[in-house]
Amino acid sequence: MLHQKLINPKSIVVVGASNNVQTPGGRVLKNLLDHNFKGEIYAVNPKETEVQDIKCFQNIKNIPSVDVAIIAIAAKFTLETIKILVKEKNTKGFIIFSAGFSEKDNEGKKLEQAIVDEINAVGGTLLGPNNIGLINQNYTGVFTTPIPKLDSKGVDFISGSGATAVFIIEAAMATGLTFSSVYSVGNSAQIGVEEVLEHLDETFDKTTSSKVKLLYIESINNPKKLLKHATSLIQKGCKIAAIKAGSSTAGSRAASSHTGALANSDIAVDALFKKAGIVRCYGRNELITVASIFMHAELNGKNIAIITHAGGPAVMLTDALSKNGLNVPEIKSKKSKALLEKLYLGSSVSNPIDFLATGNAEQLETIIDYCEHKFDEIDAMVVIFGSPGLFEVYDVYEVLHKKIQTCKKPIFPILPSVVNVKNEIDYFISKGNINFPDEVLFGNALGKVVHTVKPITIKEKTTPINSEKIRTIIENSKNGYLQPQQVKQLLLYAEIPMVDEAVCTTKETCLKAAKKMGFPVVLKVVGPVHKSDVGGIILNITSEEKLAASFDVIMKIKGATSVLIQPMKKGIELFIGAKKEDKFGHLVLCGLGGIYIEVLKDTQAALTPVSKNEALEMIRNLKSYKIIQGIRNQKGINEHQFAEIIEKISNLVDVAPEIAELDLNPLLGTSEEIFAVDARIRIEKN
Amino acid sequence: MLHQKLINPKSIVVVGASNNVQTPGGRVLKNLLDHNFKGEIYAVNPKETEVQDIKCFQNIKNIPSVDVAIIAIAAKFTLETIKILVKEKNTKGFIIFSAGFSEKDNEGKKLEQAIVDEINAVGGTLLGPNNIGLINQNYTGVFTTPIPKLDSKGVDFISGSGATAVFIIEAAMATGLTFSSVYSVGNSAQIGVEEVLEHLDETFDKTTSSKVKLLYIESINNPKKLLKHATSLIQKGCKIAAIKAGSSTAGSRAASSHTGALANSDIAVDALFKKAGIVRCYGRNELITVASIFMHAELNGKNIAIITHAGGPAVMLTDALSKNGLNVPEIKSKKSKALLEKLYLGSSVSNPIDFLATGNAEQLETIIDYCEHKFDEIDAMVVIFGSPGLFEVYDVYEVLHKKIQTCKKPIFPILPSVVNVKNEIDYFISKGNINFPDEVLFGNALGKVVHTVKPITIKEKTTPINSEKIRTIIENSKNGYLQPQQVKQLLLYAEIPMVDEAVCTTKETCLKAAKKMGFPVVLKVVGPVHKSDVGGIILNITSEEKLAASFDVIMKIKGATSVLIQPMKKGIELFIGAKKEDKFGHLVLCGLGGIYIEVLKDTQAALTPVSKNEALEMIRNLKSYKIIQGIRNQKGINEHQFAEIIEKISNLVDVAPEIAELDLNPLLGTSEEIFAVDARIRIEKN
């Protein structure tokens, strides 16, 4: 938790305060003086006696005790200053603007650590260094402009980049989005995005806290903390949108398995956000649009009424909503007929509800009332109302304002005439409303919001597995790929259904096994990793003679140590994989096998622990899901059983986190049963 | 072509002129008076003698001859007025703002037609009715505000919706995008979007005409005209971006064939835009961003240098560019080392080139010079430069302005600080520059622009087909599905390779055919359309006995008229289809067969005529293209032969436009040969 003194200080010192507001130390002092801070402000500057009309101390030693220190001096002077503040001034909150620490070189890193050690020793909190500071309801401790409109119901914004925070605030101001707090974490020496989120979670108050959190993240240092507190906040009724920049740089790593090639850290980020219920955004504009949607009431369904006085934007919005899986349902009833009669001739109420260029405020009010009270099929309204510039539209926007306040269904205003009725839009915004200037950006963002699933609140019971036996195998194994016999045992203990199989080193044992299984059988090479690439899989062996010949072929392959024999089975090829993804834990992937993963990359991923319900959702989100359901003359596969196996694999890697990569590829699935035909497991112990 | 008098009039009358600038007649007069029109302006209003300080005529009969009439009176008075103008005043250009015509009711439609007839009779041109008017370099004949910044090098914008045109102009103004002309076509009674584009094509002058055209279209009445003139303009060096609204409403129609279900009018729009080289946009913001990219020099490649003083936006832009198939290549050479030495410690030149928050104008100039002259691998630059608000950045933007003017490689400015340095951005824009405020919207739009292929200039030689014989079959056929024998003949004449086949009505002829072909064979029912749904396909028949039994099974199917026999062949299933799409002509589709079209909808479409090169591009754009290339142990198929068959199908439907739907499904392809195994053709004569 962040120290309470940092959040709500009674006194603040600016170290490096200046009369020059073009410097960070000068500008932050001006910001503090100009805005709403109610406590004491001290300035420190060895060269001044008065700065911006307040008394200036030449030496930090001379100031009284102080809750928060905002430090804007060269890096080399910071440690000494902090020692004094910590030891003599009872300071608990620190904001260090200065650059030249861990982002610069190793020496800077050491200095940064020394500062953290000092602050940790007294239980203090540090934001930065190399940040722009902190804005909240109590004070504006940043050296940048503009200071956004502050409102306890506005968004809490945590940013891993100071400049990006400024640009987002600037872009948000024109739309009316307000802020409750802005945290810039800079180098995250002590406090990163995750820790601020943790703080917001632990101090969350249902009545006074903001319900919307925005994150701009460049690196996730503690994914589990992020997941925990994002999930917790969302379960408490909050909404979170986040940009995780750097999604492309990770790329696809060279890896020795399918799962390895399919999973990467960006997929892990996706999976984390999905599990928590965070809406993932990719740009500033999108983040602001999603945040603005969050500031409205939640939709209870996907049916949208579009109310407009201009056809074009309504058509484009209809397209965008449809593409994003939302509906603009036709409205056709006695009630809609009654509404039509209250509008000018030529209007349309079938949705979009078009009340023409001549439509007025009174008509808008009537339409909204119908959508709110009479059209039960409607879940939300979008009102598009601009102006060709002939007259003012204050009355229309006043109706809109009033209805947004009073209606239970959310009303989203799209006011595109940012030039013609700029004054009206500014006035509308000044009353606490938000404008979405572009209908298509809005439609795309609304789709994202509606399709983001909330985290499952109750941890479902997982199938128990033979943990002790699994641990014994893992502890007795070395790094690298496990032998087929070990793989078989692990899957057995994890209760994964497997095709019957035997590993043989002689032709005789192989023949014996085949007789027991019954022909036809399959032979596979043991040794080489990519069996099919070396011709190490021989299918549909129907006789003893063919078996003997095939055995010889396989044992001649380079690296072959033995032969694996299985009965020849039929079914749809499926795939399940797991991969350890650094600090994120394990990713579990599923999909159809063969070309579906190799060519079409049609897989779904989730972070462990994966419940059966999550697994079912993964399966149903596959592009090739129709094949699992069954198409035309081909029966599908038992998706519940598929989901259970996914859950069991999740349980397995949770018990055996040393599993770096695991492939069940393929499993064969029918409408009755699913079993693994081939499996590989790679162990990586630290 | 639009009448020259409408484009460049010597005199204009406003019928319905008023002192009240809240009316269309009042506002258009004010716009004309306030802006750059150099000719005579007359006002007509029966109730006034002077309007806005100019003389007002009470009767249209009293005005002198006039080139253009702008009409803002009730619909019922318009025809009479137009008759006088046409007959007595030698007027050739008409703009009718009034509503109440074809968009209202049948009576209005008749009135509209009567007006068109009058104007046609004298070779005049009508814009509207029910539009906002026309803006060009000569006059501002619109009743709306704002009037955008006019510039002969700005964009020519044709809009099917007046309100949408206003909203686009408003949104464009803040970015610096300028306009050469704005045409609002309203009801398109005489002149639609297509006709204005035709005019721009026919009057195009390489040195004086604008090279950028924007279209907002709600319905395409003449797709062939649109295709012709868009292609022609782009071949002359223009760039075109367009919104076709209403993309979702078309939906997927109920249809009796695969092609029918896969093709729809929106796919036809896509295909038309692709063939012409038009960049398709879906929203106002996107259209403006694409237009703004068009205003810069063209990229010669896909390698982008990102120059920034703030990390965050550069990372988000890198992500967006990568996702859109563009590169942000690492820059690493002696030259880049030399550049690094000229920057502050901690800067990075490896791309993104980050010259830190403290970076200055001089350093920016150096970096741009390196990218322009020394980094040969770089094709374009993006400069991201905002401000935390401490000081002014005029000097930086001055460097940017100077370099945009002089560099050969395009430089795209992303200036995100729309609040902190608003004045600097306004000044930058006032010098003729454009700003992209959001890096991700820019990155997505740049991807679209770069990936839009220019139309092929030379119509390639098409394979000659037996046109006369094809025409004979078509002329002798009835509406509906052709019989197998007719299908076979048509494909034969179209030179489509087919699997050997015979249609048999008796078991004896069937046996005879099988012996000739050699076992195994396939039997298919003739009669029912969806053969496999009724169990009408029996594969892999290996003996005479099985053949006899299978024959009986098939002939018992409801609707069976005979049996089609083919040798059993192997290969990858492919699909080619053609469908008549109303006024667009024929769409030709291709893809892999089976689940690829049924489940994954992985098809590509093009409008006829489809050249072999276009067909190859279609094939290579398939998501499943890797299978055509060959994966792992499976050989691919001969894509050149596949492309040739697509071209031949295009030739066939061009010769036989009565073909409403055609399916080759499947074709079987190997690395050596491709042949059609099953085909259906439906004829629809008017």
Side-chain angles (χ1 to χ4, degrees):
Chain A
M1 230 160 74
L2 276 56
H3 201 287
Q4 179 55 18
K5 281 191 177 172
L6 177 71
I7 305 304
N8 192 9
K10 292 208 169 61
S11 53
I12 300 174
V13 60
V14 176
V15 184
S18 160
N19 278 314
N20 180 356
V21 295
Q22 297 198 340
T23 65
R27 171 56 69 175
V28 69
L29 183 59
K30 181 161 169 52
N31 281 343
L32 288 169
L33 293 168
D34 284 355
H35 291 85
N36 56 350
F37 181 57
K38 304 222 163 49
E40 292 296 322
I41 301 179
Y42 311 119
V44 174
N45 185 329
K47 291 176 190 161
E48 306 279 353
T49 52
E50 200 180 274
V51 169
Q52 297 185 37
D53 298 331
I54 68 166
K55 185 192 166 187
C56 183
F57 296 85
Q58 282 83 51
N59 192 322
I60 187 80
K61 286 191 176 265
N62 300 337
I63 66 164
S65 284
V66 68
D67 287 350
V68 163
I70 297 179
I71 295 169
I73 54 176
K76 59 182 170 182
F77 300 124
T78 50
L79 181 59
E80 195 186 347
T81 301
I82 284 161
K83 279 183 181 168
I84 295 164
L85 286 162
V86 161
K87 286 172 191 151
E88 301 175 22
K89 305 300 173 190
N90 198 25
T91 308
K92 301 294 183 188
F94 294 85
I95 295 171
I96 305 180
F97 294 154
S98 329
F101 292 92
S102 63
E103 88 285 1
K104 191 185 163 210
D105 52 22
N106 211 34
E107 204 177 318
K109 195 173 177 180
K110 278 184 200 160
L111 180 58
E112 190 174 296
Q113 189 54 50
I115 289 170
V116 171
D117 291 343
E118 290 291 337
I119 294 171
N120 279 345
V122 296
T125 299
L126 165 66
L127 279 186
N130 193 20
N131 72 343
I132 65 161
L134 166 63
I135 302 173
N136 66 21
Q137 304 293 306
N138 304 311
Y139 69 111
T140 53
V142 292
F143 71 83
T144 57
T145 59
I147 303 299
K149 192 173 163 188
L150 291 169
D151 174 356
S152 62
K153 296 290 169 207
V155 304
D156 289 318
F157 174 30
I158 315 169
S159 182
S161 155
T164 306
V166 172
F167 303 156
I168 287 176
I169 291 168
E170 290 184 88
M173 286 177 81
T175 70
L177 185 69
T178 58
F179 290 78
S180 170
S181 66
V182 179
Y183 297 83
S184 165
V185 296
N187 290 359
S188 302
Q190 186 208 43
I191 299 291
V193 172
E194 296 91 329
E195 285 73 29
V196 179
L197 197 71
E198 178 183 36
H199 169 80
L200 294 178
D201 182 23
E202 289 175 348
T203 59
F204 182 79
D205 180 291
K206 230 167 73 179
T207 48
T208 59
S209 296
S210 161
K211 302 257 185 329
V212 178
K213 319 289 174 196
L214 301 186
L215 317 177
Y216 173 82
I217 312 172
E218 290 193 347
S219 66
I220 300 177
N221 296 315
N222 194 336
K224 295 195 172 173
K225 188 180 271 187
L226 181 62
L227 176 61
K228 179 181 169 189
H229 295 291
T231 306
S232 166
L233 280 164
I234 292 171
Q235 283 171 346
K236 288 173 185 170
C238 290
K239 291 160 189 188
I240 305 181
I243 295 174
K244 163 66 181 72
S247 60
S248 59
T249 43
S252 216
R253 288 186 228 149
S256 57
S257 73
H258 284 305
T259 314
L262 292 166
N264 60 44
S265 61
D266 196 56
I267 288 178
V269 173
D270 263 344
L272 190 157
F273 282 19
K274 198 167 180 184
K275 206 170 184 86
I278 297 170
V279 177
R280 185 166 189 182
C281 297
Y282 291 89
R284 292 182 284 118
N285 218 306
E286 188 184 29
L287 187 73
I288 291 164
T289 310
V290 167
S292 299
I293 291 169
F294 283 166
M295 301 300 279
H296 290 77
E298 201 166 328
L299 276 73
N300 285 321
K302 294 183 182 175
N303 290 335
I304 318 286
I306 300 175
I307 303 165
T308 185
H309 74 142
V315 185
M316 287 187 278
L317 178 59
T318 303
D319 289 347
L321 292 173
S322 302
K323 261 182 217 169
N324 284 285
L326 299 167
N327 311 320
V328 183
E330 195 180 356
I331 301 173
K332 207 176 172 181
S333 64
K334 271 189 191 168
K335 291 172 192 165
S336 69
K337 254 191 163 170
L339 172 60
L340 189 59
E341 279 164 19
K342 294 178 202 276
L343 306 179
Y344 291 136
L345 193 70
S347 297
S348 161
V349 296
S350 61
N351 200 16
I353 299 171
D354 188 339
F355 64 121
L356 306 183
T358 46
N360 59 36
E362 195 189 333
Q363 291 171 333
L364 177 64
E365 182 156 17
T366 306
I367 296 168
I368 293 177
D369 284 342
Y370 266 78
C371 289
E372 173 76 3
H373 301 295
K374 305 201 174 177
F375 298 156
D376 297 336
E377 64 269 48
I378 292 304
D379 301 305
M381 293 167 249
V382 181
V383 176
I384 304 174
F385 206 98
S387 163
L390 292 178
F391 35 76
E392 293 175 343
V393 295
Y394 283 102
D395 55 344
V396 176
Y397 292 179
E398 186 57 34
V399 164
L400 200 48
H401 167 66
K402 201 174 71 186
K403 291 296 172 187
I404 288 171
Q405 300 299 310
T406 55
C407 286
K408 280 183 186 157
K409 296 178 184 175
I411 303 176
F412 300 99
I414 292 177
L415 314 180
S417 283
V418 289
V419 177
N420 280 334
V421 291
K422 186 183 184 308
N423 294 338
E424 289 92 322
I425 293 174
D426 287 348
Y427 184 65
F428 177 75
I429 285 174
S430 75
K431 290 178 146 186
N433 296 301
I434 291 176
N435 177 29
F436 299 86
D438 186 278
E439 54 277 355
V440 173
L441 297 180
F442 164 77
N444 293 341
L446 187 66
K448 261 198 177 179
V449 170
V450 169
H451 293 300
T452 300
V453 178
K454 289 203 175 131
I456 296 155
T457 42
I458 301 147
K459 171 93 180 80
E460 288 155 61
K461 200 184 143 199
T462 53
T463 320
I465 58 167
N466 309 293
S467 310
E468 273 182 41
K469 288 173 181 164
I470 290 171
R471 290 299 323 154
T472 306
I473 298 177
I474 297 294
E475 275 149 28
N476 290 326
S477 68
K478 289 181 204 153
N479 277 358
Y481 281 100
L482 293 181
Q483 289 303 307
Q485 196 52 37
Q486 292 171 297
V487 171
K488 194 175 166 177
Q489 279 202 314
L490 272 184
L491 297 183
L492 185 77
Y493 294 138
E495 298 175 351
I496 310 291
M498 277 175 298
V499 70
D500 195 14
E501 64 175 37
V503 175
C504 322
T505 44
T506 68
K507 215 176 279 185
E508 290 65 42
T509 52
C510 194
L511 276 170
K512 207 171 140 187
K515 279 182 193 163
K516 199 178 140 200
M517 290 170 184
F519 286 99
V521 296
V522 180
L523 292 194
K524 295 177 182 175
V525 67
V526 176
V529 170
H530 287 295
K531 299 180 182 76
S532 62
D533 286 353
V534 295
I537 299 179
I538 302 176
L539 299 170
N540 207 25
I541 299 167
T542 50
S543 68
E544 292 188 20
E545 298 76 52
K546 284 181 185 164
L547 184 74
S550 302
F551 182 89
D552 289 338
V553 168
I554 284 196
M555 287 303 284
K556 274 181 198 145
I557 291 169
K558 198 182 162 185
T561 59
S562 51
V563 172
L564 189 135
I565 179 167
Q566 295 173 334
M568 176 85 191
K569 293 269 189 179
K570 281 187 181 173
I572 297 173
E573 286 193 3
L574 301 171
F575 160 83
I576 298 175
K579 179 165 179 269
K580 196 188 290 184
E581 194 53 60
D582 204 22
K583 301 172 195 160
F584 285 80
H586 281 85
L587 273 176
V588 174
L589 292 91
C590 74
L592 269 76
I595 54 110
Y596 292 93
I597 48 169
E598 284 175 36
V599 177
L600 302 167
K601 315 277 182 218
D602 181 20
T603 59
Q604 287 286 315
L607 281 178
T608 61
V610 182
S611 68
K612 188 184 164 189
N613 275 349
E614 273 178 286
L616 273 175
E617 206 200 313
M618 288 166 75
I619 295 167
R620 290 170 185 166
N621 283 333
L622 289 168
K623 290 188 204 95
S624 45
Y625 176 57
K626 276 194 184 166
I627 295 168
I628 289 171
Q629 290 179 293
I631 49 162
R632 289 222 165 172
N633 297 317
Q634 198 168 10
K635 274 193 180 174
I637 68 134
N638 185 330
E639 66 184 48
H640 286 274
Q641 207 185 333
F642 192 19
E644 280 159 17
I645 301 175
I646 294 168
E647 187 186 15
K648 283 173 182 169
I649 288 295
S650 165
N651 292 341
L652 171 61
V653 294
D654 280 350
V655 171
E658 296 90 343
I659 296 179
E661 290 181 60
L662 177 154
D663 273 358
L664 302 185
N665 187 27
L667 303 102
L668 287 178
T670 65
S671 56
E672 275 114 44
E673 54 170 0
I674 303 177
F675 42 82
V677 174
D678 208 348
R680 285 184 299 156
I681 295 176
R682 189 167 65 78
I683 300 294
E684 204 173 275
K685 300 181 183 180
N686 295 329
Chain B
M1 227 159 76
L2 275 56
H3 200 287
Q4 179 56 18
K5 281 189 176 173
L6 177 71
I7 306 303
N8 193 8
K10 292 207 168 59
S11 52
I12 301 174
V13 61
V14 175
V15 184
S18 161
N19 278 313
N20 180 357
V21 294
Q22 298 197 339
T23 65
R27 170 56 67 176
V28 69
L29 183 60
K30 182 162 169 47
N31 282 342
L32 288 169
L33 293 169
D34 284 355
H35 291 85
N36 56 346
F37 181 58
K38 305 222 162 48
E40 292 297 320
I41 300 179
Y42 310 120
V44 174
N45 185 331
K47 293 178 187 158
E48 305 280 354
T49 53
E50 200 180 275
V51 170
Q52 297 185 37
D53 297 332
I54 68 166
K55 185 191 168 188
C56 184
F57 296 84
Q58 283 81 51
N59 194 321
I60 188 81
K61 285 191 177 268
N62 300 337
I63 66 164
S65 284
V66 68
D67 288 351
V68 163
I70 298 178
I71 295 170
I73 53 177
K76 58 183 172 184
F77 301 124
T78 50
L79 181 59
E80 197 185 344
T81 302
I82 284 161
K83 279 183 179 165
I84 295 164
L85 287 161
V86 162
K87 284 171 190 149
E88 301 174 23
K89 306 300 174 191
N90 198 25
T91 307
K92 301 295 183 188
F94 295 85
I95 295 170
I96 306 180
F97 296 154
S98 328
F101 292 91
S102 63
E103 87 285 0
K104 190 184 165 212
D105 53 22
N106 211 34
E107 206 177 316
K109 196 174 177 177
K110 278 183 198 157
L111 179 58
E112 189 174 296
Q113 188 54 50
I115 290 171
V116 171
D117 291 344
E118 290 290 338
I119 294 170
N120 279 345
V122 296
T125 299
L126 165 65
L127 278 185
N130 192 21
N131 71 344
I132 63 161
L134 166 65
I135 302 173
N136 66 22
Q137 303 294 305
N138 303 310
Y139 68 110
T140 53
V142 292
F143 71 84
T144 57
T145 59
I147 303 299
K149 192 174 164 189
L150 291 169
D151 173 356
S152 62
K153 296 290 168 205
V155 303
D156 288 318
F157 174 31
I158 315 169
S159 182
S161 156
T164 306
V166 171
F167 303 156
I168 287 176
I169 291 168
E170 289 183 270
M173 285 175 81
T175 70
L177 185 69
T178 58
F179 290 79
S180 171
S181 66
V182 179
Y183 297 84
S184 165
V185 296
N187 291 358
S188 302
Q190 185 207 43
I191 297 293
V193 171
E194 297 89 330
E195 285 73 28
V196 179
L197 197 71
E198 178 183 36
H199 170 79
L200 294 178
D201 182 22
E202 290 175 348
T203 60
F204 181 79
D205 180 290
K206 230 168 72 178
T207 48
T208 60
S209 296
S210 160
K211 302 257 185 330
V212 178
K213 319 290 174 195
L214 301 187
L215 317 177
Y216 173 83
I217 312 174
E218 291 194 346
S219 66
I220 301 177
N221 296 315
N222 195 336
K224 294 194 174 175
K225 187 179 273 185
L226 181 62
L227 176 61
K228 179 181 168 188
H229 295 290
T231 306
S232 166
L233 279 164
I234 291 172
Q235 284 171 344
K236 288 173 185 169
C238 290
K239 290 160 189 189
I240 306 181
I243 295 174
K244 163 66 181 72
S247 59
S248 60
T249 45
S252 213
R253 289 188 228 148
S256 58
S257 72
H258 285 305
T259 316
L262 293 166
N264 60 45
S265 61
D266 196 56
I267 289 178
V269 172
D270 263 344
L272 189 156
F273 281 19
K274 197 168 180 182
K275 206 171 184 82
I278 298 171
V279 177
R280 185 166 188 180
C281 297
Y282 291 89
R284 292 182 284 118
N285 217 307
E286 187 185 29
L287 188 73
I288 291 164
T289 309
V290 167
S292 299
I293 291 169
F294 282 167
M295 301 301 279
H296 290 76
E298 201 166 326
L299 277 72
N300 285 322
K302 294 183 182 175
N303 290 335
I304 318 287
I306 300 175
I307 302 165
T308 185
H309 74 142
V315 184
M316 288 188 277
L317 178 58
T318 304
D319 288 347
L321 292 174
S322 303
K323 262 183 215 165
N324 284 285
L326 299 167
N327 312 321
V328 183
E330 196 179 357
I331 302 174
K332 208 177 172 181
S333 64
K334 270 189 192 169
K335 290 172 192 166
S336 68
K337 254 191 164 172
L339 171 61
L340 188 59
E341 279 163 18
K342 295 177 201 280
L343 305 179
Y344 290 137
L345 193 68
S347 297
S348 161
V349 296
S350 60
N351 201 14
I353 298 170
D354 188 338
F355 64 119
L356 306 182
T358 45
N360 59 35
E362 194 190 333
Q363 291 170 333
L364 177 63
E365 183 157 16
T366 307
I367 295 168
I368 294 177
D369 285 342
Y370 265 78
C371 289
E372 172 77 2
H373 301 295
K374 304 201 175 179
F375 297 158
D376 296 337
E377 65 268 50
I378 293 303
D379 300 306
M381 293 167 251
V382 181
V383 176
I384 304 173
F385 206 99
S387 163
L390 293 178
F391 36 76
E392 294 176 342
V393 296
Y394 283 103
D395 56 343
V396 176
Y397 292 179
E398 187 57 34
V399 164
L400 201 48
H401 167 66
K402 201 174 72 185
K403 290 297 171 186
I404 288 170
Q405 301 299 309
T406 53
C407 286
K408 279 182 186 159
K409 297 178 184 174
I411 303 176
F412 301 99
I414 292 177
L415 313 180
S417 283
V418 289
V419 177
N420 280 334
V421 291
K422 186 183 183 307
N423 295 338
E424 288 93 321
I425 293 175
D426 286 349
Y427 183 64
F428 176 75
I429 284 174
S430 74
K431 291 179 145 184
N433 296 301
I434 292 178
N435 178 29
F436 299 86
D438 186 278
E439 53 277 356
V440 173
L441 298 179
F442 164 77
N444 293 340
L446 188 65
K448 262 199 177 178
V449 169
V450 170
H451 293 300
T452 301
V453 179
K454 287 199 178 138
I456 296 155
T457 41
I458 301 147
K459 170 96 180 80
E460 287 155 62
K461 203 184 140 198
T462 54
T463 319
I465 58 166
N466 309 291
S467 310
E468 271 182 42
K469 288 175 180 163
I470 289 171
R471 290 299 323 154
T472 307
I473 298 177
I474 296 293
E475 275 149 28
N476 291 325
S477 67
K478 289 182 203 152
N479 277 359
Y481 280 100
L482 293 181
Q483 289 302 308
Q485 196 53 36
Q486 292 171 296
V487 171
K488 194 177 168 177
Q489 279 203 312
L490 270 185
L491 297 183
L492 186 75
Y493 294 138
E495 298 176 350
I496 311 292
M498 278 174 300
V499 69
D500 195 13
E501 65 175 37
V503 176
C504 322
T505 45
T506 69
K507 214 176 281 182
E508 289 66 40
T509 53
C510 194
L511 275 169
K512 209 172 138 189
K515 277 182 194 164
K516 200 178 139 203
M517 290 170 184
F519 285 99
V521 295
V522 180
L523 291 194
K524 295 178 181 175
V525 68
V526 177
V529 170
H530 288 294
K531 300 180 182 75
S532 62
D533 286 354
V534 295
I537 299 179
I538 301 175
L539 299 170
N540 205 25
I541 299 166
T542 50
S543 68
E544 291 188 22
E545 299 77 51
K546 284 179 184 166
L547 184 76
S550 302
F551 183 90
D552 290 338
V553 168
I554 284 195
M555 288 304 286
K556 276 182 196 144
I557 291 169
K558 197 179 162 188
T561 59
S562 51
V563 171
L564 187 133
I565 180 166
Q566 294 173 334
M568 177 84 190
K569 292 268 188 178
K570 282 188 179 172
I572 297 172
E573 286 194 4
L574 301 170
F575 160 83
I576 298 174
K579 179 165 178 269
K580 197 189 290 183
E581 194 53 57
D582 204 22
K583 302 172 196 162
F584 286 80
H586 281 85
L587 272 176
V588 174
L589 292 92
C590 74
L592 268 76
I595 54 111
Y596 292 94
I597 49 171
E598 285 175 37
V599 178
L600 302 167
K601 315 278 182 218
D602 181 20
T603 58
Q604 288 285 315
L607 282 178
T608 61
V610 182
S611 67
K612 188 184 162 188
N613 275 350
E614 272 178 286
L616 273 175
E617 206 199 313
M618 289 166 75
I619 295 167
R620 290 170 185 166
N621 282 332
L622 289 168
K623 290 188 203 93
S624 44
Y625 176 56
K626 276 195 184 167
I627 295 167
I628 290 172
Q629 288 179 294
I631 48 163
R632 289 222 165 174
N633 298 317
Q634 197 168 11
K635 275 192 181 176
I637 68 135
N638 185 330
E639 66 184 49
H640 287 274
Q641 208 185 333
F642 192 19
E644 280 159 17
I645 300 176
I646 294 168
E647 186 186 19
K648 284 172 182 170
I649 288 295
S650 165
N651 293 342
L652 171 62
V653 294
D654 279 350
V655 172
E658 296 89 344
I659 296 178
E661 290 182 59
L662 176 153
D663 272 358
L664 302 186
N665 186 27
L667 303 100
L668 288 179
T670 64
S671 56
E672 274 114 44
E673 53 170 1
I674 302 176
F675 42 82
V677 174
D678 207 347
R680 285 181 301 157
I681 296 176
R682 189 168 65 78
I683 300 294
E684 204 174 272
K685 300 182 183 180
N686 295 329

